[in-house]
Amino acid sequence: MVKTIVEPHDHAGAQLVVDEPVEKDELLRRMCDQLVREGVADEGFLASTLERERVADTSLNEVFAIPHTMRPDARRTMVSAAILKRPVRWSERCDTVQIVFLLAVRPGDRVEMEHLYDLLVRIVEDHHLQQELIGVASYAQFLEVLSGAV
């Protein structure tokens, strides 16, 4: 189940682990651009994601954020993940985000969203799991940690 939602990116430009410092908007641009290149989302995906962030920030706690668009509008449901080795300032109230799951949701995709919701709740509630995710160095390791969580 984890692999169907949190899939590997097929292109060389994709990056799960981000070692260099990055600003929130730049990170979101990179992640959205990748989803557009892969055909998961349309060109307006970044604008809708940034609009949603202006309405209310999407950090769930001090280390985990789940940016998403205003409405489900992706071609398929998928999560683009970034593990930041250096925390990013996500909002006025949160400057230590290191786990970012950008949600691309296809309209009407209730079953996948239920599975995803369960995973997100597990991550938010489990500090040890958050630290394990922050410590990953590869996509395989990332999937291994997530698979152990569900």
Side-chain angles (χ1 to χ4, degrees):
M1 189 284 304
V2 169
K3 265 192 164 172
T4 63
I5 296 174
V6 186
E7 296 179 359
H9 293 285
D10 296 325
H11 303 279
Q15 191 175 19
L16 170 68
V17 177
V18 180
D19 291 316
E20 74 276 1
V22 65
E23 296 293 323
K24 173 185 171 182
D25 286 357
E26 172 62 17
L27 176 68
L28 290 175
R29 185 195 61 74
R30 287 185 203 174
M31 295 174 82
C32 289
D33 286 354
Q34 188 67 37
L35 291 177
V36 170
R37 279 193 302 274
E38 293 180 12
V40 173
D42 292 324
E43 291 295 327
F45 194 76
L46 174 60
S48 184
T49 301
L50 292 174
E51 178 184 357
R52 172 62 180 85
E53 286 295 324
R54 282 190 295 276
V55 171
D57 89 83
T58 55
S59 58
L60 298 179
N61 61 23
E62 64 279 359
V63 298
F64 187 40
I66 57 161
H68 53 279
T69 57
M70 293 293 288
R71 292 165 294 294
D73 59 1
R75 292 186 184 122
R76 65 184 166 118
T77 297
M78 185 176 158
V79 174
S80 177
I83 305 299
L84 309 173
K85 295 305 177 179
R86 298 178 189 198
V88 65
R89 180 178 184 84
W90 203 258
S91 67
E92 289 296 318
R93 68 178 181 84
C94 185
D95 61 359
T96 57
V97 166
Q98 289 185 266
I99 303 167
V100 179
F101 280 17
L102 173 61
L103 310 182
V105 181
R106 187 180 66 173
D109 209 346
R110 174 174 272 184
V111 173
E112 288 292 336
M113 284 310 299
E114 288 175 8
H115 292 301
L116 180 58
Y117 178 77
D118 291 342
L119 176 62
L120 297 175
V121 168
R122 176 86 168 94
I123 294 169
V124 168
E125 292 178 345
D126 189 336
H127 179 73
H128 178 72
L129 177 57
Q130 293 168 26
Q131 294 308 306
E132 280 189 282
L133 287 169
I134 291 169
V136 302
S138 68
Y139 182 74
Q141 193 177 10
F142 172 76
L143 274 185
E144 185 179 312
V145 170
L146 282 184
S147 294
V150 292

